[in-house]
Amino acid sequence: MKNIFFILCLTMVSLCSALAQEFKPGEVWKDTEGNIINVHGGGILYHDGTYYWYGTSMHFNSKASPLKGVGVYTSKDLYEWENKGIALSVYPEGSGHKIEDGCLIERPKVIYNEVTKKFVMWFHLELKGKGYAAAEYGVAVSDSPVGPFKFLHAGRSCSGIKPMNMSVDDVEELSSKQNIKRRDPEWRSVVDKGLYTVRDLGKGQMVRDMTIFVDKDKKAYHIFASEENQTLHIVELSDDYCNYTGRYVRILPGKGNEAPTIFRHKGKYWLITSGCTGWAPNAARMAVADDIWGPWTELENPCIGEKANKTFNSQGTFILPVHGKKNVWIFMADRWNPNNLGDSRHIWLPISFDENGVPELKWYDSWKY
Ligand code: GAL
């Protein structure tokens, strides 16, 4: 009798913990210590049997200077997360450092370089007191996935270099049109053509919402909103992942995409982005290409069902391939709470495919992979 009771208890316990192993998009998600998981606009690295979840760590209930640094959590199964602290810390206020307290570090992503054995972090950096005007990238490296990451450099991208898909004639023509204003009828077409690319050739291209993608051949790319958020840029990274090679393209020109996320499936590159409405959600967009350099073809919003036109009240940040599972990807998104950014909720949804193999996103109150 005692034995049966014991077995029953054991079954109950394992049943309960199995039930806990679920994603519950939009609900408060706590770490193993019972605190809210405070990493936002983040991304995940799988390395040696562990998932590392990086993102901006915020002070709670704060609008001004919300940033603590880049936080990191670890997990073996993607359901339970342990807080490993701050992987990249900001420098003290008054230090004059590019990442001094009061700066903004958004959408950090970490990749591992198999040759140098370094973990490389890229992020969108806005300088202290300058709002969103600086529009820079930042890079930091570490020997350990949990840090401490060491700041390497920051700045605009590819200064002095024109995109591969812009001709010398275009550069010349657009240089002569730099005084065209937003109210002028020609503005839209010249912006699409690269008015701001040419404007920024000297100091380098703007870098805002971003992600990093490592392709099958281990080449890595930085994908970000540039040109006043009008156009996305894809820039190739050097073999050590710490610099740009200078090879880059403009894609979806003038379409106003941000929050880029990307994955590769059956030889195609799928990009899921958002429109530009700040912290407020809008409808996701999608594009596909056979080659990372394009051409990219725009598709419909991948979201289906209620609140599809607001990406289920969220904005994408990363697409995670689940390790060891064939064709399982998680679309990770943030439901921003601009009055308390630290308590922005995590929306993780599975990517499914329609009968033509096109990605779809549907809402689930709870789900497992
Ligand atoms: C969003 C962007 C966020 C953050 C926010 C600030 O459009 O995706 O990462 O920069 O604007 O308003």
Side-chain angles (χ1 to χ4, degrees):
M1 193 62 193
K2 245 188 185 170
N3 270 354
I4 292 177
F5 184 70
F6 181 69
I7 290 169
L8 215 70
C9 284
L10 217 67
T11 319
M12 288 292 280
V13 168
S14 54
L15 210 71
C16 285
S17 70
L19 278 178
Q21 307 278 304
E22 278 186 329
F23 301 116
K24 294 186 176 148
E27 289 195 13
V28 172
W29 194 352
K30 295 193 170 163
D31 64 17
T32 48
E33 289 164 358
N35 299 313
I36 290 182
I37 297 179
N38 182 7
V39 275
H40 309 279
I44 290 181
L45 170 74
Y46 178 82
H47 184 76
D48 272 356
T50 301
Y51 292 98
Y52 297 85
W53 184 1
Y54 303 89
T56 304
S57 178
M58 316 271 193
H59 291 290
F60 287 95
N61 295 310
S62 162
K63 260 187 175 176
S65 185
L67 182 78
K68 280 193 201 167
V70 176
V72 57
Y73 291 70
T74 57
S75 174
K76 293 282 181 200
D77 60 9
L78 294 170
Y79 298 110
E80 302 238 319
W81 291 93
E82 197 181 325
N83 188 356
K84 295 288 181 181
I86 299 296
L88 174 70
S89 303
V90 289
Y91 282 67
E93 199 168 3
S95 61
H97 197 278
K98 278 220 164 182
I99 59 163
E100 82 173 284
D101 199 0
C103 73
L104 296 176
I105 292 179
E106 294 188 348
R107 299 182 177 272
K109 307 287 178 294
V110 174
I111 53 180
Y112 177 65
N113 191 294
E114 283 169 13
V115 178
T116 63
K117 310 259 182 269
K118 300 266 184 213
F119 296 86
V120 185
M121 179 189 292
W122 283 77
F123 51 89
H124 164 205
L125 172 66
E126 295 295 349
L127 305 178
K128 186 186 168 210
K130 300 237 154 65
Y132 280 85
E136 297 193 358
Y137 71 81
V139 194
V141 286
S142 170
D143 292 326
S144 155
V146 292
F149 279 78
K150 186 174 162 281
F151 174 87
L152 280 188
H153 52 95
R156 290 283 184 92
S157 98
C158 298
S159 140
I161 304 170
K162 73 166 185 61
M164 294 191 289
N165 57 351
M166 181 184 266
S167 70
V168 175
D169 286 350
D170 287 341
V171 174
E172 209 167 289
E173 183 200 330
L174 292 165
S175 307
S176 69
K177 296 194 166 168
Q178 288 299 316
N179 49 5
I180 289 179
K181 299 277 173 307
R182 205 172 249 267
R183 57 175 184 273
D184 296 331
E186 218 189 327
W187 182 81
R188 182 75 269 162
S189 67
V190 289
V191 163
D192 293 3
K193 224 167 168 190
L195 186 73
Y196 297 138
T197 323
V198 172
R199 180 196 70 186
D200 291 343
L201 273 180
K203 65 174 167 182
Q205 303 299 318
M206 300 176 87
V207 180
R208 289 213 182 108
D209 278 12
M210 54 144 279
T211 194
I212 296 279
F213 175 68
V214 182
D215 211 339
K216 262 190 159 167
D217 59 4
K218 304 291 174 200
K219 272 207 178 305
Y221 300 87
H222 193 199
I223 303 171
F224 52 86
S226 192
E227 305 179 30
E228 308 288 353
N229 291 346
Q230 290 287 323
T231 297
L232 291 173
H233 286 190
I234 302 184
V235 188
E236 186 182 67
L237 298 187
S238 56
D239 288 346
D240 64 3
Y241 298 164
C242 294
N243 287 285
Y244 295 125
T245 61
R247 283 159 55 81
Y248 75 106
V249 289
R250 310 172 61 236
I251 68 157
L252 308 171
K255 298 291 181 178
N257 285 285
E258 59 177 14
T261 64
I262 187 171
F263 73 112
R264 190 175 190 269
H265 178 44
K266 294 198 175 157
K268 290 196 188 297
Y269 299 84
W270 301 94
L271 193 63
I272 301 180
T273 64
S274 77
C276 295
T277 52
W279 301 117
N282 55 55
R285 292 107 174 263
M286 183 162 57
V288 64
D290 291 324
D291 190 303
I292 187 97
W293 295 127
W296 285 86
T297 308
E298 282 180 278
L299 302 169
E300 301 282 304
N301 176 358
C303 301
I304 292 174
E306 217 183 310
K307 297 268 165 53
N309 63 344
K310 294 272 189 272
T311 317
F312 313 110
N313 285 336
S314 71
Q315 184 184 33
T317 179
F318 194 69
I319 295 174
L320 173 72
V322 177
H323 185 81
K325 298 261 169 183
K326 223 173 163 221
N327 302 338
V328 180
W329 285 273
I330 299 177
F331 177 73
M332 296 166 55
D334 298 279
R335 181 173 288 170
W336 297 114
N337 177 357
N339 295 316
N340 188 5
L341 282 165
D343 189 24
S344 298
R345 298 288 159 80
H346 304 291
I347 309 292
W348 286 20
L349 294 169
I351 294 181
S352 49
F353 297 89
D354 73 7
E355 63 280 6
N356 300 314
V358 177
E360 288 177 335
L361 288 167
K362 294 178 194 148
W363 178 260
Y364 294 90
D365 288 333
S366 64
W367 67 282
K368 306 167 194 225
Y369 60 79

